[in-house]
Amino acid sequence: CAGVYVHFAETRSSQFRLIFGAEMMRQGERALPVIQVAGECIAVLVRAIGSAQGMGRIRPDLPPQRIADVIWMAVHGFADLHLIGHQESSPEALGLLVETVIRGIAAEPAGK
C-alpha cells in the first residue's frame, strides 16, 4: 500500500498537493467531502490493524487508530519528500521505511 500511495503522489502530484495543502484546510465545510473520504481510507487501515492485533501479530498496547496515524505520517512524509526530489526517496528507502514501521508495530514473539 505504501508504494501505491507514493505512486499516486508522484503521478497526480497536483491532486496530492491540493488534498493535503494548506488551502484545503482553509476551506472549512467545503472540504468535508475530501475529509470524509480520507477518513474512510484510514478506517480501512484501522480495521486491518485491529484484526491483526486480534490475531496477535501487531502490538496490542496501542489503539489501532494511533498505529494507523503513525503509519500514515511515515508514508505521507516519504511521499512528500519524494515529490520535492529528496535524494533519499528511492524505492529501496521506501522498502526500509516499511520494514522499520512493521518491526515497530509487530507484536513481540511469545515468551519474550
Side-chain angles (χ1 to χ4, degrees), residues 1 9 12 14 16 21 24 27 31 33 38 49 52 63 68 73 79 87 92 94-95 97 101 104 110 112:
C1 288
R12 298 182 187 252
S14 296
F16 184 83
M24 181 63 71
Q27 292 299 312
I49 290 166
M73 287 186 280
Q87 64 185 7
E92 294 80 19
L94 180 59
L97 173 80
V101 169
K112 272 201 159 186

Side-chain angles (χ1 to χ4, degrees), residues 29-78:
E29 286 189 25
R30 292 178 58 199
L32 288 179
V34 173
I35 293 168
Q36 181 180 355
V37 169
E40 291 168 6
C41 292
I42 289 290
V44 170
L45 182 57
V46 170
R47 285 191 301 274
I49 290 166
S51 178
Q53 284 176 319
M55 292 185 287
R57 295 183 179 234
I58 290 182
R59 53 189 286 184
D61 60 323
L62 295 171
Q65 181 67 53
R66 185 67 183 133
I67 295 172
D69 290 344
V70 169
I71 292 169
W72 177 76
M73 287 186 280
V75 175
H76 180 80
F78 182 93

Side-chain angles (χ1 to χ4, degrees), residues 93-106:
L94 180 59
L96 179 58
L97 173 80
V98 170
E99 179 183 332
T100 301
V101 169
I102 289 171
R103 286 179 188 222
I105 66 172

